[in-house]
Amino acid sequence: MTGTVVRNGTQYVRLEATEATIPNTKQFSATALVTSDGHVRELSGSSVVNANDVSDTATRIGFAYEFRRVASSPVRPTWVRNVPRLSLHRVADGEGIAIHNAGERPVPAGTGFSIRATNWNVTDGEPVFRGTARLGQSLQPGKTQYLHAARVSGEVGFFAAQQETTRVNSAVFLSNRTITVDGRTENTRFLLVIELDGNRR
């Protein structure tokens, strides 16, 4: 607690944080205004993610939240339908990942993905695998795109497949790594993460 603030006659406690428990995060800062009964009026801050990797892959993320009383319920913006709603999980055999489109719109063909698989505690291989992949065709609502990892000419690469289990030579297992998928469409960027413990971000 760093003090109190009065807004429109209501007193709020000001809370500040400078540390986060999210892995690979640094330069975290957040400020919240909270009522005496625990209602959060404002929350804002920023952090740098992928901080354990090389500096050119770290990403700064900002966030802000504010509660306001309005005369009527807000109308859902029309642009929300165009925002990708994607989920990420490992495939059963541990040799790849699956990106599922849970939204209302297709993810367009040509969408590119930058993929990173990280485990800084490994003793029998590289701590970081990197690769890229691109959708050859649009990913329709309710459909899943599988990406499998394999080593080709000494380098780890990712390739798209239409099924969860695909047996390939020199497969790379991803079950013991944190997986990060950074994707971009024409006007949207999304970041999907599975931690070592299996939790999704």
Side-chain angles (χ1 to χ4, degrees):
M1 187 177 76
T2 60
T4 58
V5 176
V6 177
R7 298 281 178 86
N8 298 322
T10 301
Q11 180 172 285
Y12 298 89
V13 175
R14 180 184 177 93
L15 304 175
E16 294 186 352
T18 57
E19 296 182 358
T21 58
I22 303 172
N24 298 337
T25 300
K26 68 177 182 180
Q27 298 178 22
F28 177 85
S29 64
T31 301
L33 299 182
V34 186
T35 63
S36 58
D37 59 356
H39 179 78
V40 179
R41 184 184 189 277
E42 294 181 10
L43 173 65
S44 62
S46 66
S47 65
V48 174
V49 298
N50 302 330
N52 282 348
D53 208 341
V54 294
S55 59
D56 61 353
T57 63
T59 302
R60 178 172 293 277
I61 297 176
F63 54 90
Y65 161 88
E66 182 178 4
F67 174 82
R68 295 181 183 177
R69 295 187 181 277
V70 294
S72 59
S73 300
V75 177
R76 189 186 191 203
T78 56
W79 56 262
V80 171
R81 295 186 62 200
N82 297 323
V83 176
R85 291 178 52 212
L86 304 174
S87 63
L88 176 69
H89 65 270
R90 296 184 181 89
V91 298
D93 60 10
E95 295 178 8
I97 55 178
I99 301 174
H100 179 73
N101 184 359
E104 302 176 23
R105 298 283 185 176
V107 180
T111 297
F113 303 100
S114 296
I115 307 161
R116 183 170 53 253
T118 309
N119 185 349
W120 294 98
N121 297 319
V122 298
T123 58
D124 58 349
E126 302 97 323
V128 180
F129 296 146
R130 294 185 185 86
T132 59
R134 191 171 299 275
L135 289 180
Q137 58 186 12
S138 62
L139 181 59
Q140 298 294 319
K143 298 298 183 180
T144 300
Q145 176 66 66
Y146 298 99
L147 299 172
H148 293 266
R151 189 180 299 277
V152 179
S153 299
E155 299 292 332
V156 174
F158 291 83
F159 65 94
Q162 298 303 314
Q163 56 190 12
E164 178 173 347
T165 302
T166 300
R167 308 313 303 180
V168 297
N169 295 327
S170 303
V172 174
F173 287 87
L174 304 174
S175 56
N176 64 337
R177 294 177 179 271
T178 294
I179 310 296
T180 302
V181 175
D182 188 346
R184 299 172 187 267
T185 63
E186 182 179 356
N187 54 14
T188 306
R189 179 182 181 184
F190 50 86
L191 188 67
L192 308 172
V193 180
I194 304 178
E195 299 293 351
L196 277 171
D197 56 11
N199 292 330
R200 303 174 188 176
R201 313 290 187 218

